[in-house]
Amino acid sequence: VTMPFKEKVLAWLDDSHELAACNTLAWTPQGLRGYNTDGIGALKALGFSSLQEKKMVILGAGGTAKAIACAAEKQGAQLAILNRTIDRARTIAEPLHAKWGNLDQLPVFTQAGYKCVIQATSVG
C-alpha cells in the first residue's frame, strides 16, 4: 500500500487499533489484517544498536512519518515531528510525548542536539 492510501486503508481492516498507517495487507482466517514495516525498516537502516535517549527529528506527518515515530518512541528515542502543517505534526507528536513544529524550525532542533533527521515528506 502506498501513499496516499496508507492511512485511508485502515478503515477497511478488521484489526487496525495499533496502526498509524498500513503498507502491507494480508488475508488471514481472522479477516483482512494490516501491517506496517516502514518504521521498523527505517530504524533498522540507521544501524543504531539502541535508540534509547537518541534525539531524532522526523520531517513529515503522513503515514510513513507516523510509523517511524511510533517505532522510535517504543525504542526510547526523544522525538520531534516537523511538518509544513503544524497541526498535523502535533497530531502525531502529542500522543508520543514528542515535540513538534514547522519545517522551518529544523535548525533550532539540530542546534539542540537532534542529530538524526529522517526525511518522510512526500517531496522525496
Side-chain angles (χ1 to χ4, degrees), residues 24-89:
T24 303
L25 298 172
W27 289 101
T28 71
Q30 294 77 34
L32 185 60
R33 299 290 309 248
Y35 303 93
N36 194 310
T37 60
D38 287 331
I40 295 166
L43 297 179
K44 194 171 189 173
L46 293 174
F48 294 128
S49 59
S50 171
L51 292 182
Q52 199 67 37
E53 303 299 317
K54 291 263 191 249
K55 291 184 172 185
M56 302 175 71
V57 175
I58 299 174
L59 306 178
T64 300
K66 284 183 188 179
I68 295 169
C70 289
E73 188 270 339
K74 284 181 183 176
Q75 293 184 33
Q78 294 178 26
L79 298 172
I81 312 296
L82 305 182
N83 194 53
R84 182 179 38 119
T85 308
I86 199 165
D87 287 336
R88 286 199 37 105

